Amino acid sequence: MQFTSQHKKAIKAIAASTVKITVAGIFIGYFHQYDLIIAIVLALYTMSTFYRKVFKPETTNWLLFWGMILTGALGVIAENLGVTYQYWEYHDLSDNRTLPYWLFFAWMLAFRIVYDLESKLMTLLHIKKAIPKAIVAILVTAIFPAFGEVVTIYLGVWTYSWPYQIFGVPLYAIICLVMLHM
């Protein structure tokens, strides 16, 4: 198979998203004891994203904005349920909290990475039909957020108690990530 320039750009987009997820996971992993500082950094980055991608007249993208807000809110609700029912637990939190401060922003920014990659792949690979779009979306939402979780799990941020784990991420969690990010 010969790679076209579009295929090369798609591979570059996948590599860039992989780097973003990895850097975010390492940042959260190494500094998870300082979750308020992580929250501030991620909040600032979120505001920067809104300024650059949503609120500038030439780049207004309300789908990205509402997708980030909705994913952040639903993500925090899901996290609260998961911790409440002891499906997972966060480590090194102060003040007897069960959820870190940065959680809302991490969910929002994960949506942004997934959304950007899906958009680029659909455009670069000229995917226009519904079923191929759905397949790409499912693959991206199953792989990238789960990969980010692997990084943070191995750096001690949280632990799952659900069975059937792949590199520390349960199959249930991967299914939930797909449903939430879609």
Side-chain angles (χ1 to χ4, degrees):
M1 179 178 165
Q2 185 174 343
F3 285 105
T4 65
S5 66
Q6 299 303 89
H7 289 111
K8 290 176 185 175
K9 288 178 183 177
I11 291 168
K12 187 177 176 182
I14 292 168
S17 293
T18 302
V19 168
K20 289 175 187 176
I21 289 283
T22 303
V23 168
I26 290 170
F27 172 70
I28 290 170
Y30 276 111
F31 297 105
H32 71 274
Q33 300 92 333
Y34 311 104
D35 64 312
L36 183 58
I37 293 171
I38 294 172
I40 292 167
V41 170
L42 295 182
L44 291 171
Y45 191 74
T46 300
M47 287 188 288
S48 168
T49 297
F50 286 160
Y51 175 74
R52 290 179 290 114
K53 301 282 186 178
V54 177
F55 297 124
K56 275 186 156 177
E58 63 273 7
T59 60
T60 301
N61 187 340
W62 291 108
L63 181 61
L64 176 62
F65 175 77
W66 288 113
M68 287 176 69
I69 296 293
L70 187 60
T71 301
L74 291 175
V76 170
I77 291 168
E79 295 276 357
N80 191 38
L81 290 170
V83 169
T84 299
Y85 290 105
Q86 299 176 350
Y87 296 133
W88 58 87
E89 73 172 304
Y90 284 90
H91 306 296
D92 305 319
L93 297 175
S94 60
D95 304 328
N96 293 324
R97 287 177 295 111
T98 57
L99 297 176
Y101 294 124
W102 49 262
L103 209 49
F104 179 68
F105 302 109
W107 274 99
M108 291 173 72
L109 292 168
F111 176 85
R112 182 199 169 203
I113 292 170
V114 166
Y115 175 84
D116 285 349
L117 180 58
E118 286 175 2
S119 299
K120 286 177 185 171
L121 290 177
M122 302 295 178
T123 301
L124 292 169
L125 301 176
H126 307 291
I127 299 172
K128 302 211 184 305
K129 294 185 179 182
I131 291 177
K133 279 185 174 185
I135 291 169
V136 168
I138 289 168
L139 287 173
V140 169
T141 56
I143 294 169
F144 284 87
F147 176 71
E149 288 201 6
V150 169
V151 173
T152 54
I153 288 168
Y154 278 91
L155 292 173
V157 180
W158 73 83
T159 306
Y160 279 106
S161 58
W162 272 339
Y164 311 114
Q165 296 184 4
I166 303 166
F167 301 110
V169 180
L171 181 59
Y172 299 135
I174 295 170
I175 292 167
C176 290
L177 285 168
V178 168
M179 290 188 319
L180 202 89
H181 279 288
M182 295 283 289

